[in-house]
Amino acid sequence: MTTYPASDLISGALGNISPPARVAVFGDPVAHSRSPAFHNAALRAAGIDASYVAIHVTPTELADALRALPDQGFLGTNLTIPHKTAVLPLLDAIDPAAQTIGAVNTVSVQDGQLTGFNTDGPGFLRAIREEFSVDVRDLRILIFGAGGGAGRAIAVQCALEGCERLVLVNRTVEKARALATELEPLFRTERLAGPSDRLQTIPHDLAAIRAQLESIDLVVNATSIGMKRTDPALVPEALLAPSLLVYDTVYATGRSRLVEDAISAGARAANGLSMLLHQGALSFEIWFDRPAPLAEMRAALASGFA
Ligand code: NAP
């Protein structure tokens, strides 16, 4: 995959690409991104005469690269590490859910204006529906890594959906506590259980986790544990009951140890490929205002992991 420097975007040198570059991902690093493969498959399948390009944008280049988008005829861009939060003050408008999440992974260009969205949270919702045929709002959910970027997006989305119960777990527990304070107003409803029962924060501690798992339906791993094959187990297999749904946002290693342990315990489990797919499909829908060709995107993603 070709990676272009930000200077090529800013100077107009990307104008020579065919089909013309109209959407992108900005990151630092960006060469590892799976997005060009499945977005270009989507563009081909939809018959759109446009390319999706990976652009290496450093933090100091971000403002100029964003401002070059309308000038160079781009419809938008995705943002990955380390730009998802830094981009907020550089945009003309921010979607309310992205504002609450505090991070933007999709920028849309319309009439020269840059609007920020977050498709990670909604992509997670679609992934859970697809993998387990359930809606997040009906579930009692425990999120590991609730203080990180993905964990925060997922926690906010679950709270916005009005899930039955939300337990935030984070190694640095203060980050999860701060998030719980932000989310608490979303749990003040007329349901029978009060906010303190429905929203809880616990440290990444075995005894605390064990006590919570008895009243949980869905366990989500949004930590970086599992990205390497040699990583320790996130949860001891003995704690994974057959009644649990387990979603591991990690997709780098295919079937992660958590997914394998959950399946061998009799639980239903899936890895983060479906979330990756659906956050990308939602970006496509924002830019092109039509449904994304999911089958082709899914096939392109799967071939990258074959
Ligand atoms: P991040 O912002 O750096 O957050 C990392 C999280 O992992 C933090 O909560 C951190 O806790 C926790 N953590 C790291 N090492 C840990 C350890 N040894 N024990 C316990 N907790 C640990 O990273 P991110 O961008 O959110 O990514 C997190 C995961 O989400 C990654 O595995 C990534 O692959 C996945 N992800 C998947 C998708 C998808 O579409 N499927 C999208 C985005 C991210 P502290 O706060 O204590 O440091």
Side-chain angles (χ1 to χ4, degrees):
M1 182 192 76
T2 311
T3 299
Y4 298 92
S7 54
D8 278 4
L9 169 66
I10 295 163
S11 69
L14 291 184
N16 306 324
I17 295 171
S18 175
R22 293 285 174 258
V23 273
V25 55
F26 291 178
D28 179 20
V30 74
H32 67 283
S33 174
R34 314 269 178 188
S35 296
F38 75 99
H39 274 290
N40 280 315
L43 292 167
R44 280 192 298 275
I48 298 171
D49 187 36
S51 299
Y52 181 107
V53 289
I55 306 182
H56 181 223
V57 177
T58 63
T60 53
E61 293 168 325
L62 181 61
D64 288 342
L66 284 168
R67 281 295 142 202
L69 290 171
D71 297 344
Q72 302 303 331
F74 274 73
L75 298 172
T77 190
N78 283 133
L79 298 165
T80 184
I81 291 171
H83 302 314
K84 289 185 184 185
T85 307
V87 73
L88 294 174
L90 304 173
L91 298 169
D92 300 304
I94 300 171
D95 171 72
Q99 186 81 262
T100 310
I101 291 168
V104 159
N105 74 336
T106 305
V107 174
S108 150
V109 178
Q110 264 190 331
D111 304 324
Q113 299 287 295
L114 305 177
T115 305
F117 299 87
N118 190 306
T119 66
D120 284 331
F124 170 80
L125 293 186
R126 286 194 185 183
I128 294 300
R129 207 170 295 138
E130 176 182 295
E131 301 284 4
F132 304 126
S133 308
V134 287
D135 278 327
V136 155
R137 70 178 318 277
D138 297 322
L139 300 176
R140 299 168 297 172
I141 302 166
L142 180 145
I143 303 174
F144 286 102
R152 188 183 156 89
I154 291 170
V156 170
Q157 199 68 47
C158 292
L160 289 171
E161 289 300 299
C163 66
E164 283 286 331
R165 198 162 171 261
L166 189 60
V167 178
L168 306 176
V169 189
N170 206 56
R171 180 179 58 180
T172 314
V173 71
E174 294 75 22
K175 289 197 214 166
R177 285 210 186 100
L179 177 58
T181 304
E182 286 177 51
L183 297 183
E184 201 261 339
L186 293 168
F187 285 87
R188 281 195 214 127
T189 66
E190 288 166 7
R191 292 199 194 189
L192 283 179
S196 59
D197 298 319
R198 292 185 57 217
L199 177 63
Q200 293 201 340
T201 303
I202 59 167
H204 199 117
D205 165 281
L206 203 54
I209 294 164
R210 186 196 306 268
Q212 288 292 339
L213 282 177
E214 285 166 12
S215 45
I216 288 297
D217 306 304
L218 171 67
V219 170
V220 179
N221 175 29
T223 74
S224 28
I225 297 178
M227 292 183 79
K228 295 197 290 292
R229 281 261 159 228
T230 49
D231 281 349
L234 178 74
V235 189
E237 188 183 332
L239 293 192
L240 297 169
S243 57
L244 282 176
L245 305 174
V246 176
Y247 192 80
D248 194 345
T249 68
V250 173
Y251 53 80
T253 48
R255 246 194 197 193
S256 65
R257 177 164 179 189
L258 175 64
V259 170
E260 276 175 3
D261 285 352
I263 288 173
S264 83
R268 291 163 69 199
N271 79 2
L273 266 188
S274 46
M275 177 173 160
L276 183 66
L277 170 75
H278 286 293
Q279 62 76 29
L282 285 154
S283 296
F284 181 99
E285 290 172 19
I286 288 168
W287 296 323
F288 299 104
D289 196 22
R290 65 172 99 172
L294 270 185
E296 288 82 356
M297 293 177 86
R298 198 187 301 276
L301 251 187
S303 70
F305 289 89

